[in-house]
Amino acid sequence: MALTKEQIAQRIAKELKDGYYVNLGIGIPTLVANYIPEGVEVILQSENGMLGIGPFPLQGEADPDLINAGKQTVTVLPGGSFFDSSASFGMIRGGHVDLTVLGAFEVTDKGDIASWKIPGKMVKGMGGAMDLVASAKNIVVAMQHTSKDGQSKLLKECTLPLTGVACVKKIVSDLAVIDVTDEGFKLLERAPGVTVDDIRKATEGKLIVEGEIPEMQF
Amino acid sequence: MNKVVKDAQEAIAGIKDGMTLMVGGFGLSGIPENCITALVESGIKDLTCISNNAGVDDFGLGLLLQKRQVKKMISSYVGENAEFERQLLAGELEVDLIPQGTLAERCRAGGAGIPAFYVPAGYGTEVADNKEVRVFNGKPHLLEYGMVADFAIVKAWKGDTHGNLIYRNTANNFNQPMATAGKITIAEVEELVPAGTLDPNMIHTPGIYVQRIFQGKNYEKRIERKTER
């Protein structure tokens, strides 16, 4: 069975280590905050100028001056801080953020990513995605392995405009966990009930399969 | 020294057709509501607006777009505004989309007298078209330029009569870097106090950057995506 969005987030949360400063993108990546493992303390960075993102506010306590990068109202945890946008991207560009999780339309076996524009259809802008992928030490992409009509999104070359080149380190899709290596996509784990063959068929880019591939554990 | 003006109408005096404005805020958070309303009422047109976002259809910079007062937007993300997307796809509006960190740094650099700098964001993408590439520490970077504006318009939580500003929570965002990069910087604040009232240790924007300040009124502070537990 392919993973749900929540399960993709849950699997990505296992990549979090105690003490990490983490930037979570909009969509599935935001859900990762719901699955931070017990005993692991991470501090979430919001590109609009905040460290220490807390849960959504209680009913009636939403503050228009306290939002995340997706413009949702949030809270700040004890020990949090606020700063301006140039300082925020200074910490991103300076490599101070340990892990960045973001969504993608397409990723290549060289780590290129397309995530911001569908020509003629969607021109919303790149926001902070290009800054994040160009500077993050460690980038995990949360995505669907194929499009609704079954076309692979793990490709040799992106068909959509790029967000960044040779930057993605790991992919957690609804079918698999994959490391992006110098040689190509290296299959690490399968979604429960999904076979290596299923993943091979759904992957257009170069897929490396070595030995037995375990099922993901939740 | 007298930086205090009566209201938004007085604050925007001198803004003319065709000028370049920086407008602070992220989404609808920390936007200079009073000045935007005054600009809409003024009918000033052919503006180039440097702002991270373009508001929503009926609030923020969306109001200026609706009345076709904007010739060009320089932004990083404009996805919340259907009218914007319509004008863009119809070729009625010029748009320069810039990675968010580069946009913030271009404002900061402009205000700090740094004409140009290198960043890795956008390398290998269409953002890199016609830009100088230089490799530092084995990594390719793009040459980007500092920006200044005829007027920077920012919104702060508290300000004093010397123009010192304090922002609140994530409503700081682009206001702080943009405040440094206006040939004339206008600050509208929720609370204007006499100089000497604010703790000098807590000032985000020192008054040297601010030429005009006023206490705004009737803040709506609209929430774009209200999410609660």
Side-chain angles (χ1 to χ4, degrees), chain B residues 101-120:
Chain B
T102 300
L103 180 63
E105 192 61 16
R106 288 184 66 183
C107 298
R108 196 197 71 83
I114 299 170
F117 55 91
Y118 291 93
V119 288

Side-chain angles (χ1 to χ4, degrees), chain A residues 26 46-50 55-75 82-87 89-90 93 116-117 120-136 161-165, chain B residues 26-30 52-53 75-80 84-85 88-89 97-105 108 118-127 139 155 157 168-174 176-177 190 204 221-229:
Chain A
I26 295 163
S46 195
E47 68 191 18
N48 55 318
M50 174 183 189
F56 293 137
L58 295 170
Q59 294 280 328
E61 291 183 7
D63 179 350
D65 293 335
L66 187 39
I67 62 171
N68 65 16
K71 284 105 180 173
Q72 296 170 310
T73 48
V74 292
T75 55
F82 299 112
F83 34 86
D84 72 84
S85 298
S86 68
F89 283 93
R93 201 183 297 110
W116 73 282
K117 183 179 185 183
K121 269 193 195 161
M122 190 200 85
V123 274
K124 292 179 188 299
M126 67 291 282
M130 285 191 183
D131 311 87
L132 281 159
V133 301
S135 295
L162 293 173
T163 310
V165 293
Chain B
F26 181 95
L28 300 179
S29 194
N52 188 54
N53 309 96
S75 304
S76 86
Y77 190 83
V78 294
E80 323 298 346
F84 180 102
E85 210 159 349
L88 176 59
L89 292 171
L97 290 170
I98 297 178
Q100 193 177 155
T102 300
L103 180 63
E105 192 61 16
R108 196 197 71 83
Y118 291 93
V119 288
Y123 172 76
T125 76
E126 64 184 52
V127 164
K139 187 169 174 165
K155 151 86 194 327
W157 179 33
R168 184 172 173 273
N169 297 354
T170 57
N172 179 335
N173 55 61
F174 277 82
Q176 193 175 336
E190 288 177 53
H204 291 118
K221 292 182 127 190
R222 192 186 292 188
I223 292 175
E224 213 163 320
R225 291 172 201 267
K226 189 169 181 175
T227 39
E228 295 174 321
R229 256 179 281 172

